[in-house]
Amino acid sequence: MSIVVTGATGHLGRHVVEQLLEKVPAEQITAVVRDEAKAAGFAARGVRVAVADYNTPGSFDNLFTSGDKVLLISGNEFDKGRVRQHTVVIDAAKAAGVALLAYTSAPGALTAALADDHRATEEVLLASGLPYSLLRNGWYHENYTENLAPVLEHDAVVQAAGDGRISSASRADYAAAAVAVLTGEGHENTTYELGGDEAWSFAEYAAELSRRTGREIAYRPVSTEALTGILAGAGLPAPLAAILAGVDASIEKGELVVSSGDLSRLTGRPTTPLAEAVAAALEA
């Protein structure tokens, strides 16, 4: 029996594996990756590394064993049919008879196009009959704090979210929730709405950046169309730019405010404050 993490060398996956290593013996962890070299550090610590690709169904043959607990981290290849990719993993897990498949989904209230693949994947997972746990992750602090260069260059936070608020948390927080589910008991057939303890607005985010930098950083709300153009102009493919701008429209409607408290309950601690993430990003 193993705890299997797909996308194990991605931004979230690395946090999950690192935190699993604090909870269970390394030999009980399987890191599923596309590039074995990127997992060399995990292998050196005793983690089993398996090479598989969501786009190659055969690569998942015999990867899982009966009794495994699997974390399916959603793919980020928006142009390659994410539901089909996720179904490859779900089918392989069902064939093996795994004990639990946890999936990193999106908040249930989110109506933006970004959520479409997640809702469809949830339907496939529920129809499979596998014991499941839906980890409906809210937005990450890092979606903003890892992209501070243009903000600092122009002294402006430019978004299309109006006065909307966001219950974001750190990747490490969401990873801790996944680890709690993978190492705990009684999480079969559950749905968790995960988000930060404190919601914030972009005006507050700009104010925190101003306080930390000693500069006057303003929040400049724009239309969804304008943000789509800005993102495309920065090099994002037009379809992806439209998807991300659509999330801002959902933020304005309050769809990324998560008030369940599930994240801090699962982890047993408060979520990481936005101010702490901002401070860490500015120091990096």
Side-chain angles (χ1 to χ4, degrees):
M1 191 275 286
S2 184
I3 296 175
V4 185
V5 180
T6 72
T9 54
H11 290 305
L12 179 62
R14 282 195 176 278
H15 279 289
V16 173
V17 175
E18 288 288 351
Q19 293 187 38
L20 280 172
L21 283 165
E22 298 173 3
K23 299 277 189 179
V24 300
E27 59 267 22
Q28 292 182 16
I29 305 169
T30 298
V32 181
V33 302
R34 288 189 293 187
D35 183 348
E36 189 171 10
K38 291 183 178 180
F42 290 148
R45 295 162 70 182
V47 174
R48 177 193 171 212
V49 175
V51 178
D53 189 323
Y54 294 158
N55 298 303
T56 308
S59 64
F60 282 90
D61 290 348
N62 304 314
L63 192 152
F64 305 122
T65 59
S66 179
D68 282 351
K69 291 184 178 180
V70 177
L71 176 64
L72 169 55
I73 295 180
S74 56
N76 59 6
E77 296 177 311
F78 294 91
D79 59 337
K80 292 189 177 180
R82 292 199 298 168
V83 180
R84 177 187 55 77
Q85 292 178 328
H86 299 158
T87 300
V88 165
V89 181
I90 293 168
D91 287 347
K94 181 178 180 179
V98 305
L100 179 74
L101 192 146
Y103 171 64
T104 60
S105 191
L110 186 65
T111 62
L114 180 73
D116 292 347
D117 288 349
H118 292 297
R119 296 288 91 81
T121 298
E122 288 184 4
E123 291 176 4
V124 172
L125 178 52
L126 268 61
S128 74
L130 281 169
Y132 66 87
S133 184
L134 301 180
L135 305 177
R136 289 179 169 171
N137 288 357
W139 225 221
Y140 301 152
H141 292 329
E142 291 88 346
N143 290 342
Y144 305 107
T145 61
E146 287 185 350
N147 296 285
L148 285 177
V151 173
L152 298 176
E153 180 183 352
H154 300 288
D155 285 333
V157 173
V158 180
Q159 301 287 156
D163 296 324
R165 303 181 73 79
I166 310 169
S167 302
S168 66
S170 70
R171 287 196 188 105
D173 291 333
Y174 292 111
V179 168
V181 167
L182 294 168
T183 60
E185 301 295 333
H187 297 289
E188 293 81 6
N189 305 328
T190 54
T191 300
Y192 297 109
E193 297 286 347
L194 304 176
D197 295 335
E198 300 292 336
W200 52 271
S201 69
F202 282 108
E204 291 168 343
Y205 175 54
E208 181 63 24
L209 286 168
S210 297
R211 187 174 75 84
R212 294 280 179 178
T213 61
R215 294 157 56 175
E216 188 62 37
I217 297 176
Y219 170 43
R220 296 180 184 167
V222 298
S223 68
T224 303
E225 293 74 21
L227 183 60
T228 302
I230 290 168
L231 294 173
L236 286 183
L240 179 56
I243 287 173
L244 294 179
V247 172
D248 268 27
S250 285
I251 291 171
E252 185 169 22
K253 292 185 284 186
E255 294 177 3
L256 278 179
V257 173
V258 179
S259 57
S260 67
D262 285 350
L263 183 51
S264 54
R265 274 196 296 273
L266 276 175
T267 62
R269 57 171 173 75
T271 60
T272 304
L274 176 66
E276 185 177 315
V278 169
L282 290 172
E283 290 171 6

